Amino acid sequence: MNSVPFVWTLVLLAVGCVLLVFLLVRTLMEVRRFRRVQRGATHDLADRSGMVKARVAGLKVVLSQRRRG
């Protein structure tokens, strides 16, 4: 009868380890997905800010041409 608590301890330890691995894998998958979305958003923001800079430069050229002419 002494070995029964020892077996339950091992079973609980094994279940805990399996649960820990499962949660760790899931967390890493979510982190990878978050990084992918973050890279896409950063790329999109850089593209948009580049377009704004180009428009501002175009407006400066037009305004300087109007001042001269």
Side-chain angles (χ1 to χ4, degrees):
M1 287 292 202
N2 262 348
S3 64
V4 174
F6 179 70
V7 171
W8 282 114
T9 303
L10 288 179
V11 168
L12 287 175
L13 186 62
V15 169
C17 286
V18 168
L19 184 62
L20 182 64
V21 168
F22 173 74
L23 291 175
L24 183 63
V25 167
R26 237 181 119 177
T27 302
L28 290 176
M29 288 173 56
E30 290 296 322
V31 167
R32 282 174 51 196
R33 191 173 91 184
F34 176 77
R35 285 185 181 169
R36 190 176 344 129
V37 170
Q38 183 182 24
R39 276 193 304 265
T42 303
H43 182 70
D44 186 46
L45 183 63
D47 284 347
R48 289 177 188 235
S49 66
M51 291 297 292
V52 170
K53 288 178 185 177
R55 287 180 183 171
V56 168
L59 287 172
K60 286 181 181 179
V61 169
V62 169
L63 290 174
S64 69
Q65 287 175 350
R66 284 193 177 199
R67 286 185 196 142
R68 279 188 269 153

